């Protein structure tokens, strides 16, 4: 099993910055990559940013250029630096870790979520 614990959410004004952190524990050797997802009220959970064990990153179009995902040895902690925040970034942010086996079956692990609220 893999356990994920997020921190760093809060209430900020538009244009400000926040940094989310996610600490990983448990069977870290299983992890092939990590990422951040977010879910606003009444909406589905969407990918924000991902990083693989070899350092490849991907971003949602809505955050590219404003958010940066990074890992402190990707298998122990991952961060999301969020700059120039907008009210539409308001959501619960979830840390994700995944493992893909030789059959391409994917296991996902999730943190408990941290609220980010951006006021206009």
């Amino acid at each position: 099993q893999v356990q994920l614990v997020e921190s760093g959410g809060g209430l900020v004004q538009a244009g400000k910055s926040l940094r989310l952190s996610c600490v990983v524990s448990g069977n870290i050797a299983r992890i092939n990559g990590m990422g951040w997802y977010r879910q606003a009220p009444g909406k589905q959970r969407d990918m924000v940013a991902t990083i693989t064990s070899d350092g490849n990153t991907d971003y949602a179009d809505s955050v590219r250029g404003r958010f940066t995902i990074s890992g402190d040895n990707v298998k122990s902690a991952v961060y999301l630096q969020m700059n120039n925040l907008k009210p539409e970034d308001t959501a619960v942010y979830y840390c994700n870790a995944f493992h893909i086996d030789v059959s391409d079956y994917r296991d996902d692990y999730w943190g408990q979520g941290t609220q980010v609220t951006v006021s206009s």
Side-chain angles (χ1 to χ4, degrees):
Q1 280 291 356
V2 173
Q3 293 81 42
L4 308 171
V5 178
E6 303 109 331
S7 61
L11 170 64
V12 295
Q13 290 184 325
K16 301 296 186 181
S17 300
L18 275 178
R19 187 183 191 226
L20 304 183
S21 300
C22 176
V23 176
V24 189
S25 61
N27 193 357
I28 296 174
R30 285 181 55 84
I31 297 174
N32 297 123
M34 297 189 66
W36 291 92
Y37 289 68
R38 67 186 181 187
Q39 187 168 20
K43 296 189 177 182
Q44 67 181 20
R45 189 175 297 187
D46 292 325
M47 186 275 286
V48 176
T50 60
I51 185 167
T52 62
S53 55
D54 55 3
N56 292 320
T57 59
D58 190 23
Y59 296 92
D61 289 342
S62 59
V63 307
R64 189 172 286 113
R66 300 188 297 122
F67 291 11
T68 303
I69 189 170
S70 62
D72 178 5
N73 182 347
V74 73
K75 294 184 176 181
S76 61
V78 66
Y79 309 98
L80 185 68
Q81 178 66 42
M82 304 185 293
N83 298 329
N84 189 22
L85 282 160
K86 303 177 180 181
E88 52 264 41
D89 294 319
T90 296
V92 177
Y93 284 70
Y94 295 92
C95 182
N96 167 268
F98 65 88
H99 169 73
I100 301 175
D101 68 18
V102 294
S103 303
D104 283 337
Y105 178 80
R106 174 169 167 151
D107 268 326
D108 283 284
Y109 305 93
W110 297 95
Q112 79 284 358
T114 185
Q115 177 70 46
V116 172
T117 303
V118 184
S119 63
S120 57

